[in-house]
Every structure is written in structure tokens, then in C-alpha cells.
Coordinates of all heavy atoms in Angstrom, one line a residue:
M180 N -11.9 10.1 -3.7 CA -11.7 8.7 -3.8 C -10.9 8.5 -5.2 O -11.4 8.9 -6.2 CB -12.9 7.9 -3.7 CG -12.7 6.4 -3.9 SD -14.2 5.4 -3.7 CE -14.7 5.7 -1.9
D181 N -9.8 7.8 -5.1 CA -9.0 7.5 -6.3 C -9.4 6.1 -6.8 O -10.1 5.3 -6.2 CB -7.6 7.7 -6.1 CG -6.9 6.7 -5.2 OD1 -7.5 5.7 -4.8 OD2 -5.7 6.9 -4.8
W182 N -8.9 5.8 -8.0 CA -9.1 4.5 -8.6 C -8.7 3.3 -7.8 O -9.4 2.3 -7.7 CB -8.5 4.4 -10.0 CG -9.3 5.1 -11.1 CD1 -8.9 6.2 -11.8 CD2 -10.6 4.7 -11.6 NE1 -10.0 6.6 -12.6 CE2 -11.0 5.7 -12.6 CE3 -11.5 3.7 -11.3 CZ2 -12.2 5.6 -13.3 CZ3 -12.7 3.6 -12.0 CH2 -13.0 4.6 -12.9
M183 N -7.6 3.4 -7.1 CA -7.0 2.3 -6.3 C -8.0 2.0 -5.2 O -8.2 0.9 -4.8 CB -5.6 2.6 -5.9 CG -4.9 1.3 -5.4 SD -4.9 0.1 -6.8 CE -4.4 -1.3 -5.9
E184 N -8.5 3.1 -4.6 CA -9.5 2.8 -3.5 C -10.8 2.1 -4.0 O -11.3 1.2 -3.3 CB -9.9 4.2 -2.9 CG -8.8 4.8 -2.1 CD -9.2 6.2 -1.6 OE1 -9.5 7.0 -2.4 OE2 -9.2 6.4 -0.4
I185 N -11.2 2.5 -5.2 CA -12.3 1.8 -5.8 C -12.0 0.3 -6.1 O -12.8 -0.6 -5.9 CB -12.8 2.5 -7.1 CG1 -13.4 3.9 -6.7 CG2 -13.9 1.7 -7.9 CD1 -13.6 4.8 -7.8
I186 N -10.8 0.1 -6.6 CA -10.3 -1.2 -6.9 C -10.3 -2.1 -5.6 O -10.7 -3.2 -5.6 CB -8.9 -1.2 -7.6 CG1 -9.0 -0.5 -9.0 CG2 -8.3 -2.6 -7.7 CD1 -9.7 -1.3 -10.1
K187 N -9.8 -1.5 -4.6 CA -9.7 -2.2 -3.2 C -11.1 -2.5 -2.7 O -11.3 -3.6 -2.1 CB -8.9 -1.4 -2.2 CG -7.4 -1.5 -2.5 CD -6.6 -1.0 -1.4 CE -5.2 -1.3 -1.6 NZ -4.3 -1.1 -0.5
I188 N -12.1 -1.7 -3.0 CA -13.5 -2.0 -2.6 C -14.0 -3.2 -3.3 O -14.5 -4.2 -2.8 CB -14.4 -0.8 -2.8 CG1 -14.0 0.3 -1.8 CG2 -15.9 -1.2 -2.7 CD1 -14.8 1.7 -2.1
G189 N -13.7 -3.3 -4.7 CA -14.0 -4.4 -5.4 C -13.3 -5.7 -4.9 O -13.9 -6.7 -4.8
A190 N -12.0 -5.5 -4.5 CA -11.3 -6.7 -4.0 C -11.9 -7.1 -2.7 O -12.0 -8.4 -2.5 CB -9.9 -6.2 -3.8
Q191 N -12.4 -6.3 -1.8 CA -13.0 -6.7 -0.6 C -14.3 -7.5 -0.9 O -14.6 -8.4 -0.2 CB -13.4 -5.4 0.2 CG -12.2 -4.8 0.8 CD -12.5 -3.5 1.5 OE1 -13.5 -2.8 1.3 NE2 -11.6 -3.2 2.5
Y192 N -15.1 -7.0 -1.9 CA -16.3 -7.8 -2.3 C -15.9 -9.2 -2.7 O -16.6 -10.2 -2.4 CB -17.1 -7.1 -3.4 CG -18.0 -6.0 -2.9 CD1 -17.6 -4.6 -3.0 CD2 -19.1 -6.3 -2.2 CE1 -18.4 -3.6 -2.5 CE2 -19.9 -5.3 -1.6 CZ -19.6 -4.0 -1.9 OH -20.4 -3.0 -1.3
I193 N -14.8 -9.3 -3.5 CA -14.4 -10.6 -4.0 C -13.9 -11.5 -2.8 O -14.3 -12.7 -2.7 CB -13.3 -10.5 -5.1 CG1 -13.9 -9.9 -6.4 CG2 -12.6 -11.8 -5.4 CD1 -12.9 -9.4 -7.4
Q194 N -13.2 -10.9 -1.9 CA -12.6 -11.6 -0.8 C -13.8 -12.1 0.1 O -13.7 -13.2 0.7 CB -11.6 -10.8 0.0 CG -10.9 -11.6 1.1 CD -10.1 -10.8 1.9 OE1 -10.5 -9.7 2.5 NE2 -8.9 -11.2 2.1
N195 N -14.8 -11.3 0.3 CA -15.8 -11.5 1.3 C -17.0 -12.3 0.7 O -18.0 -12.5 1.4 CB -16.3 -10.2 1.9 CG -15.2 -9.6 2.7 OD1 -14.4 -10.2 3.3 ND2 -15.2 -8.3 2.8
N196 N -16.9 -12.7 -0.6 CA -18.1 -13.5 -1.1 C -18.2 -14.8 -0.5 O -17.4 -15.2 0.3 CB -18.0 -13.5 -2.6 CG -16.9 -14.3 -3.2 OD1 -16.4 -15.3 -2.5 ND2 -16.6 -14.1 -4.4
D197 N -19.1 -15.6 -1.0 CA -19.3 -17.0 -0.4 C -18.4 -18.0 -1.0 O -18.5 -19.2 -0.5 CB -20.8 -17.4 -0.6 CG -21.8 -16.6 0.2 OD1 -21.3 -16.0 1.2 OD2 -22.9 -16.5 -0.2
D198 N -17.5 -17.7 -1.9 CA -16.6 -18.6 -2.5 C -15.4 -18.8 -1.6 O -14.6 -17.9 -1.5 CB -16.2 -18.1 -3.9 CG -15.4 -19.1 -4.7 OD1 -15.0 -20.1 -4.1 OD2 -15.3 -18.9 -5.9
E199 N -15.2 -20.0 -1.1 CA -14.0 -20.2 -0.2 C -12.7 -20.0 -0.9 O -11.7 -19.8 -0.3 CB -14.1 -21.7 0.3 CG -15.2 -21.8 1.4 CD -15.3 -23.2 2.0 OE1 -14.3 -23.9 1.8 OE2 -16.4 -23.5 2.5
S200 N -12.7 -20.2 -2.3 CA -11.4 -20.1 -3.0 C -10.8 -18.6 -3.0 O -9.7 -18.5 -3.3 CB -11.6 -20.6 -4.5 OG -12.4 -19.7 -5.2
T201 N -11.7 -17.7 -2.7 CA -11.2 -16.3 -2.7 C -11.0 -15.7 -1.2 O -10.4 -14.7 -1.1 CB -12.0 -15.4 -3.5 OG1 -13.4 -15.4 -3.0 CG2 -12.0 -15.8 -5.0
S202 N -11.6 -16.4 -0.3 CA -11.6 -15.8 1.1 C -10.3 -15.7 1.8 O -10.1 -14.9 2.6 CB -12.6 -16.6 2.0 OG -12.2 -18.0 2.1
D203 N -9.3 -16.5 1.4 CA -8.0 -16.4 2.0 C -6.9 -15.7 1.2 O -5.8 -15.6 1.6 CB -7.4 -17.9 2.2 CG -8.2 -18.6 3.3 OD1 -8.7 -17.9 4.2 OD2 -8.3 -19.9 3.2
I204 N -7.4 -15.1 0.1 CA -6.4 -14.3 -0.8 C -6.3 -12.9 -0.2 O -7.3 -12.3 0.2 CB -6.9 -14.2 -2.2 CG1 -7.0 -15.7 -2.8 CG2 -5.9 -13.4 -3.1 CD1 -7.6 -15.7 -4.2
D205 N -5.1 -12.4 -0.1 CA -4.9 -11.0 0.4 C -5.5 -10.0 -0.5 O -5.5 -10.1 -1.7 CB -3.4 -10.8 0.4 CG -3.0 -9.4 0.9 OD1 -3.1 -9.2 2.1 OD2 -2.6 -8.6 0.1
I206 N -6.2 -9.0 0.1 CA -6.9 -8.0 -0.6 C -6.0 -7.2 -1.6 O -6.3 -6.9 -2.7 CB -7.6 -7.0 0.4 CG1 -8.8 -7.7 1.0 CG2 -8.0 -5.7 -0.3 CD1 -9.6 -6.9 1.9
D207 N -4.8 -7.0 -1.2 CA -3.8 -6.3 -2.1 C -3.5 -7.1 -3.3 O -3.4 -6.6 -4.4 CB -2.5 -5.9 -1.3 CG -2.7 -4.8 -0.3 OD1 -3.6 -3.9 -0.5 OD2 -2.0 -4.7 0.7
N208 N -3.4 -8.4 -3.1 CA -3.2 -9.3 -4.3 C -4.4 -9.3 -5.3 O -4.2 -9.2 -6.5 CB -2.9 -10.7 -3.9 CG -1.5 -10.8 -3.2 OD1 -0.7 -10.0 -3.4 ND2 -1.3 -11.9 -2.4
I209 N -5.6 -9.3 -4.7 CA -6.8 -9.3 -5.5 C -6.9 -7.9 -6.2 O -7.2 -7.8 -7.4 CB -8.1 -9.5 -4.7 CG1 -8.1 -10.9 -4.0 CG2 -9.3 -9.2 -5.5 CD1 -9.2 -11.1 -3.0
A210 N -6.6 -6.8 -5.5 CA -6.6 -5.5 -6.1 C -5.6 -5.3 -7.2 O -6.0 -4.8 -8.3 CB -6.3 -4.4 -5.0
Q211 N -4.4 -5.9 -7.0 CA -3.4 -5.8 -8.1 C -3.9 -6.6 -9.3 O -3.7 -6.2 -10.5 CB -2.1 -6.3 -7.6 CG -1.4 -5.4 -6.7 CD -1.2 -4.0 -7.3 OE1 -0.7 -3.9 -8.4 NE2 -1.5 -3.0 -6.5
A212 N -4.5 -7.8 -9.2 CA -5.0 -8.6 -10.2 C -6.2 -7.8 -11.0 O -6.2 -7.7 -12.2 CB -5.5 -9.9 -9.7
L213 N -7.1 -7.2 -10.2 CA -8.1 -6.4 -10.8 C -7.6 -5.2 -11.6 O -8.0 -5.0 -12.7 CB -9.1 -5.9 -9.7 CG -10.1 -6.9 -9.1 CD1 -10.8 -6.2 -8.0 CD2 -11.0 -7.3 -10.2
L214 N -6.6 -4.6 -11.1 CA -6.0 -3.4 -11.7 C -5.3 -3.9 -13.1 O -5.5 -3.2 -14.0 CB -4.9 -2.8 -10.8 CG -4.4 -1.4 -11.3 CD1 -5.5 -0.4 -11.5 CD2 -3.3 -0.9 -10.4
R215 N -4.7 -5.0 -13.1 CA -4.1 -5.5 -14.3 C -5.2 -5.8 -15.3 O -5.0 -5.6 -16.5 CB -3.2 -6.8 -14.1 CG -1.9 -6.4 -13.4 CD -1.0 -7.6 -13.4 NE -1.5 -8.8 -12.8 CZ -1.3 -9.0 -11.4 NH1 -0.6 -8.2 -10.7 NH2 -1.7 -10.1 -10.9
V216 N -6.3 -6.4 -14.9 CA -7.4 -6.7 -15.8 C -8.1 -5.5 -16.3 O -8.4 -5.4 -17.5 CB -8.4 -7.6 -15.1 CG1 -9.7 -7.8 -15.9 CG2 -7.8 -9.0 -14.8
L217 N -8.3 -4.4 -15.5 CA -9.0 -3.3 -15.8 C -8.2 -2.1 -16.4 O -8.9 -1.2 -16.9 CB -9.8 -2.8 -14.6 CG -10.7 -3.7 -13.9 CD1 -11.3 -3.2 -12.6 CD2 -11.9 -4.1 -14.9
S218 N -7.0 -2.2 -16.4 CA -6.2 -1.0 -16.8 C -5.2 -1.3 -17.9 O -4.9 -2.4 -18.2 CB -5.4 -0.4 -15.6 OG -4.4 -1.3 -15.3
E219 N -4.7 -0.3 -18.5 CA -3.7 -0.3 -19.5 C -2.7 0.6 -19.1 O -2.9 1.8 -18.9 CB -4.3 0.0 -20.9 CG -3.4 -0.2 -22.0 CD -4.0 0.0 -23.4 OE1 -5.1 -0.6 -23.5 OE2 -3.5 0.7 -24.2
E220 N -1.5 0.1 -18.9 CA -0.3 1.0 -18.4 C -0.7 1.7 -17.1 O -0.3 2.9 -16.9 CB 0.0 2.0 -19.5 CG 0.5 1.3 -20.8 CD 0.9 2.3 -21.8 OE1 1.0 3.5 -21.6 OE2 1.0 1.9 -23.0
G221 N -1.4 1.0 -16.2 CA -1.7 1.6 -14.9 C -2.9 2.6 -14.9 O -3.2 3.2 -13.9
R222 N -3.5 2.9 -16.0 CA -4.6 3.8 -16.1 C -5.9 3.1 -16.5 O -5.9 2.2 -17.3 CB -4.3 4.9 -17.2 CG -3.1 5.8 -16.9 CD -3.0 6.8 -17.9 NE -3.0 6.4 -19.3 CZ -2.0 6.1 -20.0 NH1 -0.8 6.4 -19.6 NH2 -2.1 5.7 -21.2
I223 N -7.0 3.5 -15.8 CA -8.3 2.9 -16.1 C -8.8 3.6 -17.4 O -8.8 4.8 -17.5 CB -9.3 3.1 -15.0 CG1 -8.7 2.6 -13.7 CG2 -10.6 2.6 -15.3 CD1 -8.6 1.1 -13.6
D224 N -9.1 2.8 -18.4 CA -9.6 3.3 -19.7 C -11.0 2.8 -19.8 O -11.2 1.6 -20.2 CB -8.7 2.8 -20.8 CG -9.1 3.3 -22.2 OD1 -10.2 4.0 -22.3 OD2 -8.4 3.0 -23.2
L225 N -12.0 3.6 -19.5 CA -13.4 3.2 -19.6 C -13.9 2.7 -21.0 O -14.6 1.8 -21.1 CB -14.3 4.3 -19.0 CG -14.2 4.6 -17.5 CD1 -15.1 5.7 -17.1 CD2 -14.4 3.3 -16.7
S226 N -13.4 3.5 -22.0 CA -13.8 3.1 -23.4 C -13.3 1.7 -23.7 O -14.0 0.9 -24.3 CB -13.3 4.1 -24.4 OG -11.9 4.2 -24.4
S227 N -12.1 1.3 -23.3 CA -11.5 0.0 -23.5 C -12.4 -1.1 -22.7 O -12.6 -2.2 -23.2 CB -10.0 -0.1 -23.1 OG -9.3 0.6 -24.0
L228 N -12.7 -0.7 -21.5 CA -13.5 -1.6 -20.7 C -14.8 -1.9 -21.3 O -15.3 -3.0 -21.4 CB -13.7 -1.1 -19.3 CG -12.5 -1.1 -18.4 CD1 -12.8 -0.4 -17.0 CD2 -12.0 -2.5 -18.1
L229 N -15.5 -0.9 -21.8 CA -16.8 -1.1 -22.5 C -16.6 -1.9 -23.8 O -17.5 -2.7 -24.1 CB -17.4 0.3 -22.8 CG -17.9 1.1 -21.5 CD1 -18.4 2.5 -21.9 CD2 -18.9 0.3 -20.7
A230 N -15.5 -1.7 -24.5 CA -15.3 -2.4 -25.7 C -15.1 -3.9 -25.3 O -15.6 -4.8 -26.0 CB -14.1 -1.9 -26.5
K231 N -14.3 -4.2 -24.3 CA -14.1 -5.6 -23.8 C -15.5 -6.2 -23.4 O -15.7 -7.4 -23.6 CB -13.1 -5.6 -22.7 CG -11.7 -5.3 -23.2 CD -10.7 -5.3 -22.0 CE -9.4 -4.9 -22.4 NZ -8.4 -4.8 -21.3
A232 N -16.3 -5.4 -22.8 CA -17.6 -5.9 -22.3 C -18.4 -6.3 -23.6 O -19.1 -7.3 -23.6 CB -18.3 -4.9 -21.5
Q233 N -18.4 -5.4 -24.6 CA -19.1 -5.7 -25.8 C -18.6 -7.0 -26.5 O -19.3 -7.9 -26.9 CB -19.0 -4.5 -26.8 CG -19.7 -4.7 -28.1 CD -21.3 -4.6 -27.9 OE1 -21.7 -3.8 -27.0 NE2 -22.0 -5.4 -28.6
E234 N -17.3 -7.1 -26.6 CA -16.6 -8.3 -27.2 C -16.9 -9.5 -26.4 O -17.1 -10.6 -27.0 CB -15.1 -8.1 -27.3 CG -14.6 -7.0 -28.2 CD -13.2 -6.7 -28.1 OE1 -12.5 -7.4 -27.4 OE2 -12.8 -5.7 -28.6
G235 N -17.0 -9.4 -25.1 CA -17.3 -10.5 -24.2 C -18.7 -10.9 -24.1 O -19.1 -11.9 -23.4
G236 N -19.6 -10.2 -24.7 CA -21.0 -10.5 -24.7 C -21.7 -10.2 -23.4 O -22.8 -10.7 -23.1
V237 N -21.1 -9.3 -22.6 CA -21.8 -8.9 -21.3 C -22.2 -7.4 -21.3 O -22.5 -6.9 -20.2 CB -20.8 -9.2 -20.1 CG1 -20.5 -10.7 -20.0 CG2 -19.5 -8.4 -20.2
M238 N -22.3 -6.8 -22.5 CA -22.7 -5.4 -22.5 C -24.1 -5.2 -21.9 O -24.3 -4.2 -21.3 CB -22.6 -4.9 -23.9 CG -22.6 -3.4 -24.0 SD -21.3 -2.7 -23.1 CE -21.8 -1.0 -22.9
E239 N -25.0 -6.2 -22.1 CA -26.3 -6.0 -21.5 C -26.2 -5.9 -20.0 O -27.0 -5.0 -19.3 CB -27.2 -7.2 -21.8 CG -28.7 -7.0 -21.4 CD -29.6 -8.2 -21.9 OE1 -29.3 -8.6 -23.0 OE2 -30.4 -8.7 -21.1
I240 N -25.4 -6.6 -19.3 CA -25.3 -6.6 -17.9 C -24.6 -5.3 -17.5 O -25.1 -4.6 -16.6 CB -24.4 -7.8 -17.4 CG1 -25.1 -9.1 -17.6 CG2 -24.0 -7.6 -15.9 CD1 -24.2 -10.3 -17.4
V241 N -23.6 -4.9 -18.2 CA -22.9 -3.6 -17.9 C -23.8 -2.4 -18.0 O -23.9 -1.5 -17.3 CB -21.6 -3.4 -18.8 CG1 -21.0 -2.1 -18.6 CG2 -20.6 -4.5 -18.5
S242 N -24.7 -2.4 -19.1 CA -25.6 -1.4 -19.3 C -26.6 -1.2 -18.2 O -27.0 -0.1 -17.8 CB -26.4 -1.7 -20.6 OG -25.5 -1.6 -21.7
S243 N -26.9 -2.4 -17.6 CA -27.8 -2.3 -16.4 C -27.2 -1.6 -15.3 O -27.9 -0.9 -14.4 CB -28.3 -3.7 -16.0 OG -27.4 -4.4 -15.3
W244 N -25.9 -1.8 -15.1 CA -25.2 -1.2 -14.0 C -25.0 0.3 -14.2 O -25.0 1.1 -13.2 CB -23.8 -1.7 -13.8 CG -23.7 -3.2 -13.6 CD1 -24.8 -4.0 -13.0 CD2 -22.7 -4.1 -13.8 NE1 -24.3 -5.3 -12.9 CE2 -23.0 -5.4 -13.4 CE3 -21.4 -3.9 -14.3 CZ2 -22.2 -6.5 -13.5 CZ3 -20.6 -5.0 -14.4 CH2 -21.0 -6.3 -14.0
I245 N -24.8 0.8 -15.4 CA -24.6 2.2 -15.6 C -25.8 2.9 -16.0 O -25.8 4.2 -16.1 CB -23.4 2.5 -16.7 CG1 -23.8 1.8 -18.0 CG2 -22.1 1.9 -16.2 CD1 -22.7 2.0 -19.1
G246 N -26.9 2.3 -16.3 CA -28.1 2.9 -16.6 C -29.0 3.0 -15.4 O -28.7 2.7 -14.2
S247 N -30.3 3.5 -15.6 CA -31.2 3.5 -14.4 C -31.9 2.2 -14.3 O -32.0 1.4 -15.3 CB -32.2 4.7 -14.6 OG -32.8 4.5 -15.8
G248 N -32.5 2.0 -13.2 CA -33.3 0.7 -13.0 C -32.5 -0.3 -12.3 O -31.4 0.0 -11.7
E249 N -33.0 -1.5 -12.3 CA -32.4 -2.6 -11.5 C -31.2 -3.1 -12.2 O -31.1 -3.2 -13.4 CB -33.4 -3.7 -11.4 CG -33.0 -4.9 -10.5 CD -34.0 -5.9 -10.3 OE1 -35.3 -5.6 -10.4 OE2 -33.7 -7.0 -10.0
N250 N -30.2 -3.4 -11.4 CA -28.9 -3.9 -11.9 C -29.0 -5.4 -12.2 O -29.6 -6.2 -11.3 CB -27.8 -3.7 -10.9 CG -27.4 -2.2 -10.8 OD1 -27.7 -1.4 -11.6 ND2 -26.7 -1.9 -9.8
A251 N -28.5 -5.9 -13.3 CA -28.5 -7.3 -13.6 C -27.5 -8.0 -12.7 O -26.5 -7.4 -12.4 CB -28.2 -7.5 -15.1
P252 N -27.7 -9.3 -12.3 CA -26.7 -9.9 -11.5 C -25.4 -10.2 -12.3 O -25.5 -10.4 -13.5 CB -27.4 -11.2 -11.1 CG -28.4 -11.4 -12.1 CD -28.8 -10.1 -12.6
M253 N -24.3 -10.2 -11.6 CA -23.0 -10.5 -12.2 C -22.6 -11.9 -11.9 O -22.8 -12.4 -10.7 CB -22.0 -9.5 -11.6 CG -20.6 -9.8 -12.1 SD -19.4 -8.6 -11.6 CE -19.4 -8.8 -9.8
M254 N -22.1 -12.6 -12.8 CA -21.7 -14.0 -12.6 C -20.1 -14.0 -12.8 O -19.7 -13.5 -13.8 CB -22.3 -14.9 -13.6 CG -23.8 -15.1 -13.4 SD -24.5 -16.2 -14.5 CE -23.6 -17.7 -14.2
L255 N -19.4 -14.5 -11.9 CA -18.0 -14.6 -12.0 C -17.6 -16.0 -12.5 O -17.9 -17.0 -11.8 CB -17.3 -14.3 -10.7 CG -15.7 -14.3 -10.6 CD1 -15.2 -13.3 -11.6 CD2 -15.3 -14.1 -9.3
I256 N -17.0 -16.1 -13.7 CA -16.6 -17.4 -14.2 C -15.1 -17.5 -14.2 O -14.4 -16.7 -14.7 CB -17.2 -17.6 -15.6 CG1 -18.7 -17.4 -15.7 CG2 -16.7 -18.9 -16.2 CD1 -19.3 -17.3 -17.0
L257 N -14.6 -18.5 -13.4 CA -13.2 -18.7 -13.3 C -12.7 -19.9 -14.1 O -13.4 -20.9 -14.2 CB -12.7 -18.7 -11.9 CG -13.0 -17.5 -11.1 CD1 -12.7 -17.8 -9.6 CD2 -12.3 -16.3 -11.6

């Protein structure tokens, strides 16, 4: 599985959530937006993502996802 496949899975979750504002957006458009947010020069840089999570104050949530135990819920703020 490559990064774009993982990004498209994330796009499907966004498209299929209960928010009507995302249900009509094309998955490829969502995937491209996610890729722009998550990558630098088309490459996923995990250390930069973790730094952005720390700067954004969501490192506790991210830590729950990459650690063992229950995952903290994610809130999408638009």
C-alpha cells in the first residue's frame, strides 16, 4: 500500500462522515487537499507532521493514535 492509497482511505472517511458539507465532494479532490496539508513537495514527512501536531496543541490526541491503548476522538474544525 502506498501513501496515496492511505490518503484516499482518509478521504473516504471524510466523504462518508455525517457532515453534509463533505458528502458531495469528490474523493480525489479530498485526497489532493489532504496530500497538500500532509506533505511537503509531494512527500509525507512524519517528523514535520508531528511537529505541526505539537505546535497545534493536538499532540496528546496524536500520541493516543500511535501509542497503545484507546485512541482519543478526533475533532475536525473547519
Side-chain angles (χ1 to χ4, degrees):
M180 180 175 292
D181 67 11
W182 280 112
M183 198 56 193
E184 289 174 301
I185 294 169
I186 295 291
K187 283 193 174 193
I188 290 169
Q191 289 174 334
Y192 279 106
I193 291 170
Q194 186 188 51
N195 294 330
N196 71 20
D197 292 335
D198 187 348
E199 290 180 18
S200 65
T201 59
S202 61
D203 291 330
I204 301 174
D205 180 70
I206 286 182
D207 288 330
N208 289 339
I209 297 171
Q211 288 302 316
L213 284 173
L214 190 59
R215 283 192 301 270
V216 169
L217 298 175
S218 70
E219 186 171 312
E220 298 178 15
R222 294 184 311 261
I223 304 293
D224 181 356
L225 293 179
S226 62
S227 292
L228 288 175
L229 292 175
K231 288 178 185 178
Q233 182 70 37
E234 292 169 13
V237 295
M238 195 59 199
E239 185 176 320
I240 295 169
V241 173
S242 295
S243 77
W244 299 338
I245 58 178
S247 59
E249 187 174 334
N250 294 341
M253 177 176 62
M254 294 180 58
L255 181 61
I256 302 170
L257 300 175

